[in-house]
Amino acid sequence: MQSAGVHPPFDFRSHDYRWLIRRWRAVAKTTGLRVVRYHEENGFPYFYLESKRIDSSLPSIYLSAGIHGDESAATEGLLAWATRLESELHRCNFLIFPCLNPWGLMNNRRTNADGVDLNRSYHDDSVPSTRAHKAVLAVHQFDLALTMHEDYDARGIYLYEIQKTRPFWGEALLAAAGRVIPVDHRKTIEGSRAKNGLIRRRISPDFMDQHPEAFILHFQNSRRTF
């Protein structure tokens, strides 16, 4: 039983999409971000947040979470980061998608309501939510794009880095993150060769038949994609 006056270190309503968006709206009120509704599906409105004033002299950063609804650590982690750094969010131009799969988050499912893995659906326009997402992305360019996931089988943090712009950043990012979460040092992670938690690879449009979110960011929008 929880003692009086003692609160858990994080919110346990992690699969409540409406509660997630309510907290993001609170962040938006105290930062230079605005909330934009861009799609609706299965009774859920979809939102992104963006910097109100775009300054071309500042870096542009894309952040997303929740494309797999059973990975609520990603949606909560992204919100916790934004809440902690509210006073710093004016230092870059941000485009943030707090949850790309609201139905999946609410139902603790990897897929959407139609059983589609959204992170394998960016190669065509057959899925309404990914089509709407791609329409937003079409007019943006980013210095960095980070898509956030949770892997409960992992033995620490690991990172995919798509090879494009040098110098690569993967090692430095993992060194920084490793001070908070231990790095996964397995030599093979999710079937891919890894070194000290880093999976770095080149990709082409025919690398996979079904494209994840990171592919369109790499090919169309971002100088560096993680």
Coordinates of all heavy atoms in Angstrom, one line a residue, residues 122-177:
Y122 N 4.8 2.6 -44.5 CA 5.1 3.9 -45.1 C 5.5 3.8 -46.6 O 5.9 4.8 -47.2 CB 6.2 4.6 -44.3 CG 5.7 5.2 -43.0 CD1 5.4 4.5 -41.9 CD2 5.3 6.6 -43.0 CE1 4.9 5.0 -40.7 CE2 4.8 7.2 -41.8 CZ 4.6 6.4 -40.7 OH 4.0 6.9 -39.6
H123 N 5.4 2.7 -47.2 CA 5.8 2.5 -48.5 C 4.7 2.8 -49.5 O 4.9 2.9 -50.7 CB 6.2 1.0 -48.8 CG 5.2 0.0 -48.3 ND1 5.0 -0.2 -47.0 CD2 4.4 -0.8 -49.0 CE1 4.1 -1.2 -46.9 NE2 3.7 -1.5 -48.1
D124 N 3.4 3.0 -49.0 CA 2.3 3.3 -49.9 C 1.3 4.2 -49.1 O 1.6 4.6 -47.9 CB 1.6 2.1 -50.4 CG 1.0 1.2 -49.4 OD1 0.6 1.7 -48.3 OD2 1.0 -0.1 -49.6
D125 N 0.2 4.5 -49.7 CA -0.8 5.4 -49.0 C -2.1 4.7 -48.6 O -3.1 5.3 -48.5 CB -1.1 6.6 -50.0 CG 0.0 7.6 -50.1 OD1 0.8 7.7 -49.2 OD2 0.2 8.2 -51.2
S126 N -2.0 3.4 -48.4 CA -3.2 2.6 -48.2 C -3.7 2.8 -46.7 O -4.9 2.4 -46.5 CB -3.0 1.1 -48.5 OG -2.0 0.6 -47.6
V127 N -2.9 3.2 -45.8 CA -3.3 3.3 -44.4 C -3.6 4.8 -44.1 O -2.7 5.6 -44.2 CB -2.2 2.7 -43.5 CG1 -2.6 2.8 -42.0 CG2 -1.9 1.3 -43.8
P128 N -4.8 5.1 -43.7 CA -5.2 6.5 -43.5 C -4.3 7.3 -42.6 O -3.9 8.4 -42.9 CB -6.6 6.4 -43.0 CG -7.1 5.1 -43.5 CD -6.0 4.2 -43.5
S129 N -3.9 6.7 -41.4 CA -3.2 7.5 -40.4 C -1.7 7.8 -40.9 O -1.2 8.9 -40.7 CB -3.1 6.8 -39.1 OG -2.5 5.6 -39.1
T130 N -1.1 6.8 -41.6 CA 0.2 7.0 -42.1 C 0.2 8.0 -43.3 O 1.1 8.8 -43.5 CB 0.9 5.7 -42.5 OG1 0.0 4.8 -43.0 CG2 1.7 5.1 -41.4
R131 N -0.9 7.9 -44.1 CA -1.0 8.9 -45.2 C -1.1 10.3 -44.7 O -0.5 11.2 -45.2 CB -2.3 8.5 -46.0 CG -2.5 9.4 -47.2 CD -3.6 8.9 -48.2 NE -4.9 8.9 -47.5 CZ -5.6 7.8 -47.2 NH1 -5.1 6.6 -47.5 NH2 -6.8 7.9 -46.7
A132 N -1.9 10.5 -43.6 CA -2.0 11.8 -43.0 C -0.7 12.3 -42.4 O -0.3 13.5 -42.5 CB -3.1 11.8 -41.9
H133 N 0.0 11.4 -41.8 CA 1.3 11.7 -41.2 C 2.3 12.1 -42.3 O 3.0 13.1 -42.2 CB 1.9 10.4 -40.5 CG 3.1 10.6 -39.8 ND1 4.0 9.6 -39.5 CD2 3.8 11.7 -39.3 CE1 5.1 10.0 -38.9 NE2 5.0 11.3 -38.7
K134 N 2.3 11.4 -43.4 CA 3.2 11.7 -44.5 C 2.9 13.0 -45.1 O 3.8 13.8 -45.6 CB 3.2 10.6 -45.6 CG 3.8 9.3 -45.1 CD 3.4 8.1 -45.9 CE 3.8 8.2 -47.4 NZ 3.4 7.0 -48.2
A135 N 1.6 13.4 -45.1 CA 1.2 14.7 -45.7 C 1.8 15.8 -44.8 O 2.2 16.9 -45.4 CB -0.3 14.8 -45.7
V136 N 1.8 15.7 -43.5 CA 2.5 16.7 -42.6 C 4.0 16.7 -42.9 O 4.5 17.8 -43.0 CB 2.2 16.4 -41.2 CG1 2.9 17.4 -40.2 CG2 0.7 16.4 -40.9
L137 N 4.6 15.6 -43.0 CA 6.1 15.5 -43.2 C 6.5 16.1 -44.5 O 7.6 16.6 -44.6 CB 6.5 14.1 -43.1 CG 6.4 13.4 -41.7 CD1 6.9 11.9 -41.9 CD2 7.2 14.1 -40.7
A138 N 5.6 16.1 -45.5 CA 6.0 16.5 -46.9 C 6.7 17.9 -47.0 O 7.5 18.1 -47.9 CB 4.8 16.4 -47.8
V139 N 6.3 18.8 -46.1 CA 6.8 20.2 -46.2 C 7.9 20.5 -45.2 O 8.2 21.7 -45.0 CB 5.6 21.2 -46.0 CG1 4.6 21.0 -47.1 CG2 5.0 21.0 -44.6
H140 N 8.5 19.5 -44.6 CA 9.5 19.7 -43.5 C 10.9 19.1 -43.9 O 10.9 18.1 -44.6 CB 9.0 19.1 -42.2 CG 7.9 19.8 -41.6 ND1 8.1 20.9 -40.8 CD2 6.5 19.6 -41.6 CE1 6.9 21.3 -40.4 NE2 5.9 20.5 -40.9
Q141 N 11.9 19.7 -43.4 CA 13.3 19.2 -43.4 C 13.8 19.3 -42.0 O 13.6 20.3 -41.3 CB 14.1 19.9 -44.4 CG 13.8 19.8 -45.8 CD 14.0 18.4 -46.3 OE1 15.0 17.8 -46.1 NE2 13.0 17.8 -47.0
F142 N 14.6 18.2 -41.6 CA 15.1 18.2 -40.2 C 16.6 17.9 -40.2 O 17.2 17.2 -41.1 CB 14.4 17.0 -39.5 CG 12.9 17.1 -39.5 CD1 12.2 16.2 -40.3 CD2 12.2 18.0 -38.8 CE1 10.9 16.2 -40.3 CE2 10.8 18.1 -38.8 CZ 10.2 17.1 -39.6
D143 N 17.3 18.5 -39.2 CA 18.7 18.2 -39.0 C 18.8 16.8 -38.3 O 19.8 16.1 -38.5 CB 19.3 19.2 -38.1 CG 19.3 20.6 -38.9 OD1 20.1 20.7 -39.9 OD2 18.6 21.5 -38.4
L144 N 17.8 16.5 -37.5 CA 17.8 15.2 -36.8 C 16.4 14.7 -36.6 O 15.5 15.5 -36.4 CB 18.4 15.4 -35.4 CG 18.5 14.2 -34.5 CD1 19.7 14.3 -33.6 CD2 17.3 14.1 -33.6
A145 N 16.2 13.4 -36.8 CA 14.9 12.7 -36.6 C 15.1 11.5 -35.7 O 16.0 10.7 -35.9 CB 14.3 12.3 -37.9
L146 N 14.3 11.5 -34.6 CA 14.4 10.4 -33.6 C 13.1 9.8 -33.4 O 12.1 10.5 -33.0 CB 15.0 10.9 -32.3 CG 15.0 10.0 -31.1 CD1 16.0 8.8 -31.4 CD2 15.5 10.7 -29.9
T147 N 12.9 8.5 -33.7 CA 11.7 7.8 -33.5 C 11.9 6.9 -32.3 O 12.8 6.1 -32.3 CB 11.3 6.9 -34.7 OG1 12.1 5.8 -34.9 CG2 11.3 7.8 -36.0
M148 N 11.0 7.0 -31.3 CA 11.3 6.4 -30.0 C 10.4 5.1 -29.9 O 9.3 5.0 -30.2 CB 10.9 7.3 -28.9 CG 11.8 8.6 -28.9 SD 11.4 9.7 -27.6 CE 12.0 8.7 -26.2
H149 N 11.1 4.1 -29.3 CA 10.5 2.7 -29.1 C 10.8 2.2 -27.8 O 11.7 2.7 -27.1 CB 10.9 1.8 -30.2 CG 10.4 2.1 -31.6 ND1 9.3 1.5 -32.1 CD2 10.9 3.0 -32.5 CE1 9.1 2.0 -33.3 NE2 10.1 2.9 -33.6
E150 N 10.1 1.1 -27.4 CA 10.4 0.4 -26.2 C 10.7 -1.1 -26.6 O 10.0 -1.6 -27.4 CB 9.2 0.4 -25.2 CG 9.4 -0.5 -24.0 CD 8.1 -0.6 -23.2 OE1 7.1 0.2 -23.5 OE2 8.0 -1.4 -22.3
D151 N 11.7 -1.7 -26.0 CA 11.9 -3.1 -26.2 C 12.1 -3.8 -24.8 O 13.2 -3.6 -24.2 CB 13.2 -3.3 -27.0 CG 13.5 -4.8 -27.4 OD1 12.8 -5.7 -26.8 OD2 14.4 -5.0 -28.2
Y152 N 11.1 -4.5 -24.3 CA 11.2 -5.0 -23.0 C 12.0 -6.3 -22.9 O 12.3 -6.8 -21.8 CB 9.8 -5.4 -22.4 CG 8.9 -6.3 -23.3 CD1 9.1 -7.7 -23.3 CD2 7.9 -5.8 -24.1 CE1 8.4 -8.5 -24.0 CE2 7.2 -6.6 -24.9 CZ 7.4 -8.0 -24.9 OH 6.6 -8.8 -25.7
D153 N 12.5 -6.8 -24.1 CA 13.4 -7.9 -24.1 C 14.9 -7.4 -24.1 O 15.8 -8.2 -24.0 CB 13.2 -8.8 -25.3 CG 11.9 -9.6 -25.2 OD1 11.6 -10.0 -24.1 OD2 11.2 -9.7 -26.3
A154 N 15.1 -6.1 -24.2 CA 16.5 -5.6 -24.3 C 17.2 -5.7 -23.0 O 16.6 -5.9 -21.9 CB 16.4 -4.2 -24.8
R155 N 18.5 -5.7 -23.1 CA 19.3 -5.7 -21.9 C 20.0 -4.3 -21.6 O 21.0 -4.2 -21.0 CB 20.4 -6.8 -22.1 CG 19.8 -8.2 -22.3 CD 20.9 -9.2 -22.5 NE 20.4 -10.5 -22.9 CZ 21.1 -11.6 -23.2 NH1 22.4 -11.5 -23.3 NH2 20.5 -12.7 -23.5
G156 N 19.3 -3.3 -22.1 CA 19.8 -2.0 -21.9 C 19.4 -1.2 -23.1 O 18.6 -1.6 -24.0
I157 N 19.9 0.0 -23.2 CA 19.5 0.9 -24.4 C 20.4 0.5 -25.6 O 21.5 0.2 -25.5 CB 19.8 2.4 -24.0 CG1 19.2 3.3 -25.1 CG2 21.2 2.7 -23.8 CD1 19.1 4.8 -24.7
Y158 N 19.7 0.6 -26.8 CA 20.4 0.4 -28.0 C 19.8 1.4 -29.1 O 18.8 1.9 -28.9 CB 20.5 -1.0 -28.5 CG 19.1 -1.6 -28.9 CD1 18.6 -1.5 -30.2 CD2 18.4 -2.4 -27.9 CE1 17.4 -2.1 -30.5 CE2 17.2 -3.0 -28.2 CZ 16.7 -2.8 -29.5 OH 15.5 -3.4 -29.8
L159 N 20.5 1.6 -30.1 CA 20.2 2.6 -31.1 C 20.5 2.2 -32.5 O 21.5 1.6 -32.8 CB 21.1 3.9 -30.8 CG 21.0 5.1 -31.7 CD1 19.6 5.8 -31.4 CD2 22.1 6.1 -31.4
Y160 N 19.5 2.4 -33.4 CA 19.7 2.3 -34.8 C 20.1 3.7 -35.4 O 19.4 4.7 -35.1 CB 18.4 1.9 -35.5 CG 18.0 0.5 -35.3 CD1 17.1 0.1 -34.2 CD2 18.4 -0.5 -36.2 CE1 16.7 -1.2 -34.0 CE2 17.9 -1.9 -36.0 CZ 17.1 -2.2 -34.9 OH 16.7 -3.5 -34.7
E161 N 21.1 3.7 -36.2 CA 21.5 4.9 -36.9 C 21.6 4.6 -38.4 O 22.4 3.7 -38.8 CB 22.9 5.4 -36.4 CG 23.3 6.7 -37.1 CD 24.6 7.2 -36.6 OE1 25.4 6.5 -35.8 OE2 24.9 8.4 -36.8
I162 N 20.9 5.3 -39.2 CA 20.9 5.1 -40.6 C 22.1 6.0 -41.2 O 22.2 7.2 -40.9 CB 19.6 5.5 -41.3 CG1 18.4 4.7 -40.7 CG2 19.7 5.3 -42.8 CD1 17.1 5.1 -41.3
Q163 N 22.9 5.3 -42.0 CA 24.1 6.0 -42.5 C 23.7 7.1 -43.5 O 23.0 6.7 -44.5 CB 25.1 5.0 -43.1 CG 25.8 4.1 -42.1 CD 26.9 3.3 -42.8 OE1 27.6 3.9 -43.6 NE2 27.1 2.1 -42.4
K164 N 24.1 8.3 -43.3 CA 23.9 9.3 -44.3 C 24.9 10.5 -44.1 O 25.8 10.5 -44.9 CB 22.4 9.9 -44.2 CG 22.0 10.8 -45.3 CD 20.6 11.2 -45.1 CE 20.1 12.0 -46.3 NZ 18.6 12.4 -46.2
T165 N 24.7 11.3 -43.1 CA 25.6 12.5 -42.9 C 26.7 12.2 -42.0 O 26.5 11.6 -40.9 CB 24.7 13.6 -42.4 OG1 23.6 13.9 -43.3 CG2 25.6 14.9 -42.2
R166 N 27.9 12.5 -42.3 CA 29.0 12.4 -41.5 C 29.4 13.7 -40.8 O 29.1 14.8 -41.4 CB 30.3 11.8 -42.2 CG 30.1 10.4 -42.7 CD 31.3 10.0 -43.5 NE 31.2 8.6 -44.0 CZ 31.6 7.5 -43.3 NH1 32.2 7.7 -42.2 NH2 31.4 6.3 -43.8
P167 N 30.0 13.7 -39.6 CA 30.3 12.5 -38.8 C 29.1 11.9 -38.2 O 28.1 12.6 -37.9 CB 31.2 13.1 -37.7 CG 30.7 14.5 -37.6 CD 30.3 15.0 -39.0
F168 N 29.2 10.6 -38.0 CA 28.1 9.9 -37.4 C 28.0 10.3 -35.9 O 29.0 10.6 -35.2 CB 28.2 8.4 -37.5 CG 28.2 7.9 -39.0 CD1 29.2 7.0 -39.4 CD2 27.3 8.4 -39.9 CE1 29.2 6.6 -40.8 CE2 27.3 8.0 -41.2 CZ 28.2 7.1 -41.6
W169 N 26.8 10.2 -35.3 CA 26.5 10.6 -34.0 C 26.2 9.5 -33.0 O 26.1 9.7 -31.8 CB 25.4 11.6 -33.9 CG 25.7 12.9 -34.5 CD1 26.8 13.4 -35.1 CD2 24.8 14.0 -34.5 NE1 26.7 14.7 -35.5 CE2 25.5 15.1 -35.2 CE3 23.5 14.2 -34.1 CZ2 24.9 16.4 -35.4 CZ3 22.9 15.5 -34.3 CH2 23.6 16.5 -35.0
G170 N 26.1 8.3 -33.5 CA 25.6 7.2 -32.7 C 26.4 6.9 -31.4 O 25.8 6.7 -30.4
E171 N 27.7 6.9 -31.6 CA 28.5 6.6 -30.4 C 28.4 7.6 -29.3 O 28.3 7.3 -28.1 CB 30.0 6.4 -30.8 CG 30.3 5.2 -31.6 CD 30.1 5.3 -33.1 OE1 29.6 6.4 -33.5 OE2 30.4 4.4 -33.8
A172 N 28.3 8.9 -29.7 CA 28.2 10.0 -28.8 C 26.8 10.0 -28.1 O 26.7 10.2 -26.9 CB 28.4 11.3 -29.5
L173 N 25.8 9.7 -28.8 CA 24.5 9.6 -28.2 C 24.4 8.5 -27.2 O 23.8 8.6 -26.1 CB 23.4 9.4 -29.3 CG 23.2 10.6 -30.3 CD1 22.2 10.3 -31.3 CD2 22.7 11.8 -29.5
L174 N 24.9 7.3 -27.5 CA 24.9 6.2 -26.6 C 25.8 6.5 -25.4 O 25.4 6.0 -24.3 CB 25.3 4.9 -27.3 CG 24.2 4.2 -28.2 CD1 24.8 3.1 -29.0 CD2 23.1 3.7 -27.3
A175 N 26.9 7.1 -25.6 CA 27.7 7.5 -24.4 C 27.0 8.4 -23.5 O 27.0 8.2 -22.2 CB 29.0 8.2 -24.9
A176 N 26.2 9.3 -24.0 CA 25.4 10.2 -23.1 C 24.3 9.4 -22.5 O 24.1 9.5 -21.2 CB 24.9 11.4 -23.9
A177 N 23.5 8.7 -23.2 CA 22.4 7.9 -22.7 C 22.9 6.8 -21.7 O 22.1 6.5 -20.8 CB 21.6 7.3 -23.8

